C-alpha cells in the first residue's frame, strides 16, 4: 500500500507463496502496530507456525508481548529471529535475556553472531559447528560461505560454540525424553559425537510441543542470516500435516476452508483469502458458506505474491489461496464444497459427539472457530464533502468494513452524524487516507459530538392559550399541564391525563396532543439536547370546535417548553465503562491522568503481573485517550470502553459546558 511505503510500517497483512529447497511455504507478514491487532489475530488463526521478529537492540517491546499472547492463545509453535544485528546498540545477549524474562519462554540458541553492531559479519551454526560469513561486497546477501570451525583458524570461536552446543543439548534433553535416552545412552561420554540430524529432530519435537523456542539472528536489510532462517522454518516449524485439527476428521477428504481476510480490488471486486484445511479448490467451483448459509461460485483462483497475483488451476490442503467471485463471504466464514457435504460431516460429528458426551449442536462443531474482533477504543465523526457524495461515502465505508472488521461505522441518532469507531488514531487516519486515495473522496474527520441529554429537577405547572383566525376559521386551544421529574430512566416522556380531561376530547385529539409533547421533548431548554426522565400530566384542555390538529400540537408543544424553561434544569452526560490493563510501574501516572479526566475508579484488580483499573469516565473526556495512555505507559497498557449510562453533571462542569456552548469561554 502507498501508506505503508510512506510510513515504512506494515498496515495490512500481505501474503506471499514461495518454494524453498523443495518445500512450499505460505508466508503472511503481519503488522506490529497496536492499532492493527486484528490483522495479527486473524492471520494467527489460520497459520501453523510463526517467526517472531525482534529488534536486537530493543529486545521484547510492548507490542511483542501482545502478539506473543495471541500466539499462545492459538497454540502456535514459533521461532525467534533477532533482526538488526548490524544496528548500533544491538546486543544478542540482552535480546535473549529479555525473551527469557518478559515472555517467560525458554530460548534455544541455535546460532551465535560473529561480531555485533558495526562489526556484524556472519553467524555460527551451533548445531553443525559451522560459520557462515556473508560477502561484504554482495548487495542482496546471496553470496555467503559456509566453513567448518577449525581449531587452527578460530580457536576462541570454536570453544564458545562447543560450550553453546553442549548447553543446547542439555536444554533439549531436559525437555524431550526420547532425546534424553539417546544422550545418556550412546553419547554420555562425548556430546560432540551426537549427529546434527538427531539434535535437529529433537529441536523440532520441542518446538512443536511449545516448551521452548529456537532463536536465530541476522540482519534482514542486508539479507544476512535469512537463508539459515528459511532452513530453520522448514526444519523446525510444523507442516500442515503435523497440526492436529479436531474438525478435519468429520470432513474426510472433502473441502473445508476458512475465509480469513477480504480485500477489495478495483477491477476484480472482493478478493477473499482462504486457508484450505482439507480437500482441494478449483476455479468455477460452487462452494457453500456455512455461516452465511449461501452457495457461491469461485470464478478464478490466484496465488498471492504481495501485490501481484498468479492465476493457478487448483490448490490443495495446507495452502493459502486468493479467490475471486465470492460476493457474500466475510472474515471468519467456514467454506465447504456443498450443503450435503456439510450435513454429512455434521452427521459424523453428531455420532462421535454422542459417544463422547451428550449431543451438542452439530452446526457449531462444523464451524471453524471464527476470529475474535476487539472492541473499538477510538471514536470520531466523518463527513462527506457534500450531501450528494454521502452514498459514495457509505459505499466506501461498507467496503472498508468488510475488509477490516475492527472498523465499526454507526449513525448517531441524536446528532445525525456518521461515527467511525476504530482501534486508535493511526487506524482512523489510515482509513481516512484510503477513502481519499482509493475512492477519490475528500472527507472531513471531526471530533465526536457528545450526545448530552437533559432533565428537570422539580415539578412545574404551565398554561397556554392559542387563539388564531385563519381565513374564516377560528382555532382556539387552552391548556394546563404539569411537568415533573421521575425516578425510572425513560428516554421518552411519560404522558398522564388528569381526571378533569374529558374522554371525548381525548378520543378526537390524543394523537395530536402526544405528538406535541414528544416534539417539545426533543430539544431541551439548555443545550437543545433530548429531554429524558420526565412525566407530563395534562390537567385541563379546552378545544374550540373546528380547531385543526396541527394547532393543538403546536399549543401543547409551546406549553411543555414553557414548563421546562421554568423548572430547574440539569444536563446528563454519557458515562463510559473503562477497563485499563497496566503494569504495576505505570499504575500511578494512569490513575493521576484518570483523575484529571473526572474518572471515577470502582476497583483495581490484580491479573498476573498486571493491574486492571475498572471505573467510569465521561465520554467527553475520552477523546484521544488511546494516544495519551500509550505515551504515559510506553505503549504497554491496553484499555476497553463501552457506553454504560447517563449521569447528572456536577454544577461547575455544567456551567463550564454551557459557557463553552454559548461562546463565553
Amino acid at each position: 500500500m502507498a501508506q505503508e511505503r510512506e510510513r515504512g510500517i506494515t498496515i495490512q497483512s500481505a501474503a506471499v507463496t514461495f518454494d524453498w529447497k523443495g518445500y512450499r511455504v505460505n508466508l503472511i507478514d503481519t503488522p506490529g502496530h497496536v492499532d492493527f491487532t486484528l490483522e495479527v489475530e486473524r492471520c494467527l488463526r489460520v497459520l501453523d507456525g510463526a517467526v517472531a521478529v525482534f529488534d536486537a537492540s530493543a529486545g521484547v517491546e510492548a507490542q511483542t508481548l501482545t502478539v506473543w499472547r495471541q500466539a499462545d492463545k492459538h497454540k502456535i509453535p514459533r521461532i525467534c529471529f533477532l533482526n538488526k544485528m548490524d544496528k548500533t546498540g544491538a546486543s544478542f545477549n540482552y535480546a535473549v535475556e529479555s525473551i527469557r524474562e518478559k515472555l517467560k519462554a525458554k530460548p534455544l540458541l541455535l546460532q551465535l553472531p560473529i561480531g555485533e553492531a558495526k562489526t556484524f559479519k556472519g553467524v555460527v551454526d551451533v548445531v553443525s559447528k559451522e560459520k557462515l560469513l556473508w560477502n561484504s561486497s554482495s548487495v542482496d546477501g546471496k553470496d555467503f560461505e559456509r566453513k567448518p570451525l577449525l581449531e587452527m583458524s578460530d580457536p576462541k570461536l570454536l570453544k564458545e560454540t562447543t560450550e553453546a552446543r553442549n548447553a543446547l543439548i542439555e536444554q533439549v534433553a531436559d525437555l524431550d525424553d526420547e532425546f534424553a535416552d539417546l544422550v545418556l545412552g550412546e553419547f554420555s561420554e562425548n556430546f560432540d559425537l551426537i549427529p546434527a540430524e538427531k539434535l535437529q529432530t529433537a529441536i523440532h519435537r520441542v518446538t512443536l510441543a511449545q516448551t521452548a523456542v529456537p532463536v536465530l539472528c541476522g540482519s534482514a536489510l542486508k539479507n544476512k542470516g535469512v537463508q539459515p532462517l528459511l532452513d530453520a522454518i522448514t526444519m523446525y516449524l510444523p507442516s500442515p500435516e503435523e497440526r492436529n485439527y479436531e474438525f478435519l476428521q468429520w470432513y474426510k477428504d472433502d473441502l473445508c476452508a476458512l475465509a480469513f481476510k477480504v480485500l477489495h480490488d478495483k477491477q476484480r471486486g472482493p478478493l477473499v483469502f482462504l486457508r484450505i484445511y482439507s480437500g482441494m479448490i478449483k476455479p468455477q467451483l460452487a462452494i457453500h458458506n456455512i455461516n452465511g448459509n449461501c452457495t457461491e461460485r469461485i470464478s478464478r483462483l490466484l496465488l498471492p505474491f504481495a501485490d501481484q497475483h498468479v492465476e493457478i488451476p487448483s490448490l490443495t490442503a495446507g495452502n493459502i489461496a486468493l479467490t475471486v467471485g465470492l460476493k457474500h463471504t466475510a472474515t471468519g466464514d467456514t467454506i465447504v464444497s456443498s450443503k450435503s457435504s456439510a450435513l454429512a460431516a455434521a452427521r459424523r460429528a453428531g455420532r462421535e459427539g454422542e459417544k463422547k458426551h451428550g449431543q451438542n449442536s452439530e452446526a457449531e462443531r462444523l464451524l471453524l472457530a471464527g476470529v475474535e474482533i476487539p472492541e473499538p477504543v477510538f471514536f470520531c465523526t466523518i463527513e462527506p464533502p457534500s450531501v450528494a457524495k454521502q452514498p459514495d461515502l457509505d459505499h466506501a465505508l461498507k467496503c472498508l468494513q468488510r475488509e477490516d472488521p475492527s472498523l465499526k461505522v454507526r449513525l448517531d441518532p441524536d446528532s445525525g452524524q456518521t461515527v467511525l469507531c476504530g482501534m486508535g488514531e493511526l487506524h482512523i487516519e489510515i482509513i481516512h487516507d484510503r477513502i481519499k486515495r482509493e475512492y477519490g473522496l475528500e472527507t472531513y474527520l471531526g471530533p465526536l459530538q457528545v450526545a448530552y441529554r437533559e432533565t428537570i429537577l422539580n415539578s412545574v405547572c404551565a398554561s397556554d392559550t392559542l387563539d388564531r383566525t385563519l381565513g374564516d376559521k377560528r382555532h382556539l386551544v387552552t391548556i394546563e399541564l404539569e411537568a415533573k421529574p421521575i425516578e425510572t430512566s425513560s428516554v421518552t416522556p411519560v404522558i398522564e391525563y388528569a381526571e378533569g380531561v374529558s374522554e371525548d376530547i381525548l378520543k378526537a385529539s390524543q394523537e395530536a396532543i402526544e405528538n406535541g409533547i414528544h416534539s417539545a421533548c426533543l430539544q431541551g431548554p439548555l443545550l437543545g439536547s433530548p429531554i429524558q426522565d420526565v412525566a407530563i400530566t395534562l390537567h385541563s384542555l379546552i378545544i374550540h370546535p373546528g380547531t385543526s390538529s396541527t394547532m393543538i400540537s403546536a399549543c401543547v408543544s409551546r406549553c411543555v417548553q414553557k414548563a421546562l424553561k421554568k423548572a430547574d434544569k440539569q444536563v446528563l452526560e454519557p458515562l463510559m465503562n473503562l477497563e485499563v490493563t497496566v503494569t504495576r510501574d505505570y499504575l500511578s501516572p494512569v490513575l493521576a491522568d484518570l483523575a484529571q479526566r473526572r474518572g471515577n475508579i470502582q476497583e483495581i484488580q490484580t491479573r498476573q503481573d498486571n493491574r486492571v483499573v475498572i471505573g467510569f469516565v465521561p465520554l467527553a473526556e475520552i477523546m484521544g485517550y488511546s494516544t495519551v495512555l500509550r505515551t504515559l505507559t510506553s505503549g504497554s497498557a491496553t484499555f476497553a470502553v463501552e457506553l454504560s449510562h447517563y449521569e447528572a453533571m456536577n454544577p461547575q462542569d455544567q456551567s463550564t459546558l454551557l459557557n463553552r456552548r454559548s461562546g463565553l469561554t
Side-chain angles (χ1 to χ4, degrees):
M1 290 169 72
Q3 292 90 333
E4 297 180 310
R5 284 196 288 271
E6 280 168 18
R7 291 180 165 82
I9 57 169
T10 314
I11 292 168
Q12 280 197 337
S13 45
V16 290
T17 307
F18 61 89
D19 293 295
W20 180 257
K21 299 190 177 172
Y23 292 95
R24 159 64 57 90
V25 181
N26 290 283
L27 168 80
I28 293 192
D29 166 39
T30 64
H33 193 284
V34 52
D35 284 9
F36 306 107
T37 308
L38 177 85
E39 285 289 322
V40 182
E41 180 73 29
R42 62 178 171 187
C43 295
L44 280 176
R45 172 68 195 77
V46 297
L47 297 176
D48 299 318
V51 176
V53 183
F54 298 81
D55 178 335
S57 64
V60 174
E61 296 172 89
Q63 189 57 14
T64 317
L65 266 165
T66 313
V67 176
W68 195 265
R69 285 191 204 115
Q70 286 173 299
D72 281 338
K73 184 172 81 182
H74 291 293
K75 300 192 170 55
I76 305 277
R78 60 213 90 135
I79 289 177
C80 296
F81 181 68
L82 305 180
N83 190 17
K84 308 188 185 177
M85 280 305 299
D86 51 1
K87 181 178 167 184
T88 316
S91 159
F92 182 77
N93 292 340
Y94 164 74
V96 170
E97 232 5 81
S98 79
I99 291 174
R100 188 175 285 127
E101 280 175 18
K102 294 186 182 167
L103 300 177
K104 310 275 187 279
K106 290 189 179 147
L108 303 176
L109 305 186
L110 307 189
Q111 288 178 348
L112 297 175
I114 300 176
E116 269 177 1
K118 293 263 187 303
T119 58
F120 177 73
K121 54 179 186 286
V123 298
V124 176
D125 186 332
V126 174
V127 178
S128 63
K129 288 209 219 169
E130 292 174 318
K131 62 176 180 180
L132 286 72
L133 294 174
W134 270 261
N135 185 343
S136 54
S137 59
S138 148
V139 187
D140 56 5
K142 271 188 191 153
D143 306 329
F144 67 99
E145 47 183 357
R146 216 179 239 279
K147 289 183 187 161
L149 287 172
L150 300 171
E151 188 66 57
M152 286 146 55
S153 50
D154 325 86
K156 190 167 165 238
L157 204 52
L158 179 64
K159 183 168 174 278
E160 268 181 46
T161 309
T162 310
E163 282 170 10
R165 187 171 193 258
N166 293 347
L168 175 68
I169 289 168
E170 283 171 14
Q171 261 184 304
V172 177
D174 278 347
L175 299 168
D176 186 271
D177 297 344
E178 196 179 322
F179 185 66
D181 296 342
L182 185 75
V183 172
L184 295 172
E186 288 174 60
F187 306 106
S188 55
E189 302 304 309
N190 186 355
F191 281 0
D192 287 354
L193 299 176
I194 296 179
E197 294 75 49
K198 298 273 188 213
L199 181 52
Q200 283 163 348
T201 22
I203 294 171
H204 178 70
R205 286 198 299 270
V206 169
T207 310
L208 290 205
Q210 291 166 57
T211 46
V213 285
V215 176
L216 297 97
C217 61
S219 160
L221 180 66
K222 309 268 171 37
N223 282 335
K224 289 181 183 175
V226 175
Q227 298 89 338
L229 173 66
L230 289 171
D231 293 337
I233 289 172
T234 55
M235 219 179 294
Y236 305 125
L237 288 181
S239 80
E241 282 141 20
E242 291 174 294
R243 288 296 302 256
N244 169 15
Y245 295 104
E246 193 188 31
F247 54 82
L248 282 188
Q249 51 190 5
W250 325 134
Y251 285 101
K252 303 282 198 268
D253 294 325
D254 273 353
L255 170 68
C256 172
L258 182 73
F260 67 95
K261 186 174 160 74
V262 181
L263 278 182
H264 280 272
D265 185 288
K266 284 268 187 314
Q267 280 79 33
R268 303 185 179 120
L271 303 176
V272 179
F273 282 83
L274 295 179
R275 155 77 203 252
I276 310 171
Y277 285 102
S278 69
M280 183 171 164
I281 260 187
K282 286 193 177 100
Q284 300 309 322
L285 184 74
I287 52 108
H288 180 68
N289 177 339
I290 301 188
N291 303 56
N293 195 11
C294 60
T295 300
E296 301 198 78
R297 187 173 294 280
I298 295 173
S299 57
R300 293 161 71 196
L301 194 60
L302 310 167
L303 210 50
F305 287 96
D307 52 357
Q308 268 98 39
H309 306 135
V310 179
E311 204 153 329
I312 45 168
S314 72
L315 204 55
T316 51
N319 282 298
I320 281 172
L322 242 185
T323 60
V324 183
L326 301 183
K327 296 276 187 289
H328 305 291
T329 303
T331 295
D333 287 355
T334 304
I335 302 294
V336 293
S337 55
S338 64
K339 200 164 186 175
S340 56
S341 130
L343 291 171
R347 280 197 298 277
R348 284 181 212 125
R351 282 203 292 276
E352 195 63 32
E354 280 163 20
K355 280 182 213 160
K356 284 189 193 152
H357 38 250
Q359 186 66 22
N360 61 352
S361 133
E362 294 172 7
E364 265 176 35
R365 270 209 308 278
L366 286 191
L367 290 178
L368 310 185
V371 178
E372 282 179 33
I373 293 160
E375 283 303 312
V377 295
F378 192 88
F379 308 90
C380 74
T381 59
I382 185 164
E383 304 277 335
S386 65
V387 181
K389 296 274 189 210
Q390 184 71 46
D392 297 350
L393 176 62
D394 291 342
H395 169 71
L397 289 173
K398 194 172 152 206
C399 291
L400 288 168
Q401 261 182 291
R402 197 174 149 193
E403 262 181 49
D404 177 2
S406 65
L407 171 74
K408 306 263 197 311
V409 179
R410 57 163 213 259
L411 253 176
D412 188 327
D414 292 335
S415 62
Q417 291 172 307
T418 307
V419 180
L420 286 187
C421 319
M423 303 307 298
E425 260 172 276
L426 180 67
H427 184 200
I428 296 291
E429 198 182 306
I430 300 280
I431 293 290
H432 181 219
D433 199 31
R434 288 186 60 190
I435 292 175
K436 179 176 163 184
R437 288 189 197 188
E438 293 168 29
Y439 299 92
L441 287 173
E442 279 286 354
T443 51
Y444 304 105
L445 292 184
L448 193 63
Q449 295 293 335
V450 178
Y452 291 102
R453 301 270 169 87
E454 298 177 26
T455 190
I456 56 174
L457 300 174
N458 55 346
S459 62
V460 280
C461 292
S463 57
D464 201 353
T465 305
L466 181 121
D467 189 355
R468 285 256 175 93
T469 308
L470 292 176
D472 51 357
K473 257 193 181 174
R474 185 179 179 202
H475 302 273
L476 174 64
V477 186
T478 305
I479 185 169
E480 247 183 70
L481 53 78
E482 178 189 13
K484 58 174 189 277
I486 50 172
E487 291 298 312
T488 52
S489 176
S490 153
V491 185
T492 51
V494 177
I495 302 172
E496 297 160 351
Y497 298 99
E499 287 171 7
V501 182
S502 81
E503 294 278 319
D504 304 340
I505 290 186
L506 268 188
K507 264 191 196 134
S509 49
Q510 186 167 359
E511 196 182 332
I513 295 165
E514 294 188 358
N515 283 348
I517 294 176
H518 283 299
S519 69
C521 289
L522 286 178
Q523 284 197 317
L526 279 176
L527 294 168
S529 301
I531 296 272
Q532 67 173 36
D533 310 340
V534 170
I536 305 285
T537 312
L538 201 62
H539 286 301
S540 79
L541 180 67
I542 302 159
I543 300 177
H544 186 273
T547 303
S548 73
S549 56
T550 335
M551 290 296 177
I552 299 171
S553 290
C555 181
V556 172
S557 180
R558 196 167 74 181
C559 189
V560 172
Q561 295 251 324
K562 213 186 220 178
L564 294 175
K565 276 204 181 92
K566 277 204 291 199
D568 296 339
K569 298 167 283 289
Q570 170 73 55
V571 175
L572 305 173
E573 67 176 342
L575 278 196
M576 309 299 275
N577 259 336
L578 175 75
E579 193 173 293
V580 184
T581 309
V582 59
T583 53
R584 203 171 338 152
D585 320 347
Y586 293 115
L587 183 62
S588 50
V590 168
L591 291 176
D593 177 64
L594 283 174
Q596 282 183 332
R597 293 173 184 274
R598 310 193 312 211
N600 176 2
I601 309 298
Q602 301 291 313
E603 59 171 327
I604 298 175
Q605 301 172 347
T606 305
R607 211 177 276 168
Q608 286 152 352
D609 308 342
N610 292 333
R611 297 285 179 271
V612 182
V613 180
I614 297 170
F616 297 110
V617 175
L619 174 63
E621 302 289 339
I622 215 132
M623 306 291 155
Y625 183 57
S626 52
T627 317
V628 174
L629 182 67
R630 285 168 200 169
T631 312
L632 281 178
T633 62
S634 312
S636 62
T638 56
F639 77 107
V641 286
E642 59 179 357
L643 185 66
S644 167
H645 60 282
Y646 276 84
E647 195 170 86
M649 286 177 91
N650 69 31
Q652 296 99 316
D653 295 332
Q654 181 167 322
S655 63
T656 314
L657 171 71
L658 293 173
N659 287 342
R660 203 171 59 231
R661 280 288 178 95
S662 56
L664 293 173
T665 51

